[in-house]
Amino acid sequence: MNSKAIAYSDLKPSSAEQVRAAIRRGLYDGHTAGLAPGKLQCNLAILPEKYALDFLRFCQRNPKPCPVVGVGDTGCPNLPTLGHDIDIRSDVSKYRIFRDGVLNGEFTNVSDVWSDDLVTVALGCSFTFENALLRNGIPVRHIETGRNVPMYRSNVDLAPAGRFSGQMVVTMRPIPENQVAQAKAISSKFTQAHGSPIAVGDPAQIGIKDLSKPDWGHAVEVKAGEIPVYWACGVTPQNVLLDAKLPICITHSPGHMLISDVAEDAETTILPKN
């Protein structure tokens, strides 16, 4: 991180393009929850072309955790349908690189490992609908506290495709009991960002033992009068890719999303040329 690092609070009023520029210059490597409100945020899966078709089949069969919002050309680091100036090698605040199913580490730039056979698949992210919740007076605890959303492994099985299979990862947000129905209705409109919740209430119903111990992100308090609500999560394909033991795959680090120029409520995720 550059010695002139930009704080999360300083990026809050910035546009999507400005946030990406700060990330590209190495000035910010934190989570993106709550940044560039109104813009679609994306999970990432970057993998060799020979595996990409099966992976896209897997996403098509599991649209709740894996809603495809963009696909790059083979070997091209740009995503013109999502942003005019996106360079997928540098515009995400933190990446993970996996080789043969083993995490090699987290990085803020992946230019050194980019190759001509890689394909980028961008997937919708629940950070997108959080802005709509906030606009309607529904609190989002991890944004209130400046934390990353809590993420958990579940026991919800996914439909396999080729070498890709596994179980769903979910995010949890505590919602006031009298606003749960409204939160469901609002998020259901964002089908490209996981849509409506998959479960409400007791975490044991989806195989979560302890809400205070998320598998990724940060634990948040569930206050009196609130109910845990669970949405499908874009970390799901990371687990699936890891289990598939590809020779290489690159993902975002949980909570560190690509911020696109596409409006979160756009009818399609194809950015207009003008």
Side-chain angles (χ1 to χ4, degrees):
M1 174 64 73
N2 191 299
S3 60
K4 296 181 180 179
I6 297 176
Y8 173 85
S9 57
D10 293 332
L11 278 179
K12 288 279 288 198
S14 301
S15 68
E17 186 175 4
Q18 289 169 333
V19 175
R20 290 199 305 270
I23 291 169
R24 187 180 301 181
R25 292 166 58 200
L27 301 178
Y28 182 72
D29 65 1
H31 69 80
T32 58
L35 294 181
K39 297 301 182 182
L40 184 75
Q41 294 205 27
C42 308
N43 302 285
L44 286 183
I46 302 171
L47 66 164
E49 182 183 40
K50 67 182 292 185
Y51 306 108
L53 181 56
D54 272 347
F55 181 69
L56 288 169
R57 287 193 183 103
F58 174 81
C59 294
Q60 189 275 332
R61 294 172 187 176
N62 300 281
K64 289 287 277 188
C66 305
V68 176
V69 297
V71 181
D73 291 327
T74 303
C76 179
N78 308 121
L79 289 170
T81 61
L82 294 177
H84 296 302
D85 68 335
I86 290 174
D87 186 333
I88 204 60
R89 300 169 296 185
S90 59
D91 290 3
V92 174
S93 55
K94 198 172 291 181
Y95 302 84
R96 286 183 166 184
I97 298 176
F98 298 88
R99 295 185 186 274
D100 300 314
V102 177
L103 176 64
N104 275 193
E106 293 188 318
F107 305 86
T108 55
N109 189 298
V110 294
S111 296
D112 289 348
V113 298
W114 188 264
S115 62
D116 291 342
D117 70 330
L118 291 177
V119 176
T120 299
V121 180
L123 305 156
C125 168
S126 58
F127 284 178
T128 295
F129 68 68
E130 289 176 344
N131 298 316
L133 296 182
L134 291 169
R135 286 196 300 271
N136 284 274
I138 299 175
V140 180
R141 184 67 31 76
H142 63 275
I143 292 180
E144 289 177 351
T145 55
R147 298 181 177 186
N148 198 352
V149 65
M151 295 162 264
Y152 306 85
R153 301 178 189 272
S154 81
N155 60 7
V156 179
D157 290 323
L158 301 166
R163 64 195 295 163
F164 301 105
S165 62
Q167 294 176 315
M168 190 183 298
V169 175
V170 301
T171 55
M172 187 281 294
R173 294 163 185 78
I175 304 294
E177 186 173 4
N178 65 348
Q179 292 181 300
V180 169
Q182 186 184 15
K184 286 182 178 181
I186 291 170
S187 59
S188 70
K189 299 176 183 177
F190 294 86
T191 56
Q192 300 280 20
H194 305 305
S196 58
I198 66 151
V200 174
D202 184 2
Q205 66 183 305
I206 53 172
I208 300 172
K209 294 181 180 179
D210 188 346
L211 288 179
S212 70
K213 297 179 180 179
D215 296 289
W216 301 271
H218 302 119
V220 296
E221 181 184 6
V222 180
K223 298 180 179 180
E226 294 179 336
I227 296 178
V229 181
Y230 311 91
W231 280 267
C233 175
V235 173
T236 301
Q238 288 198 22
N239 278 1
V240 168
L241 289 164
L242 190 154
D243 290 344
K245 295 181 170 55
L246 305 186
I248 184 172
C249 69
I250 304 168
T251 71
H252 66 289
S253 182
H256 298 69
M257 308 301 173
L258 171 70
I259 301 179
S260 78
D261 293 329
V262 176
E264 64 184 19
D265 58 354
E267 185 175 353
T268 75
T269 57
I270 306 300
L271 187 70
K273 291 184 178 181
N274 297 319

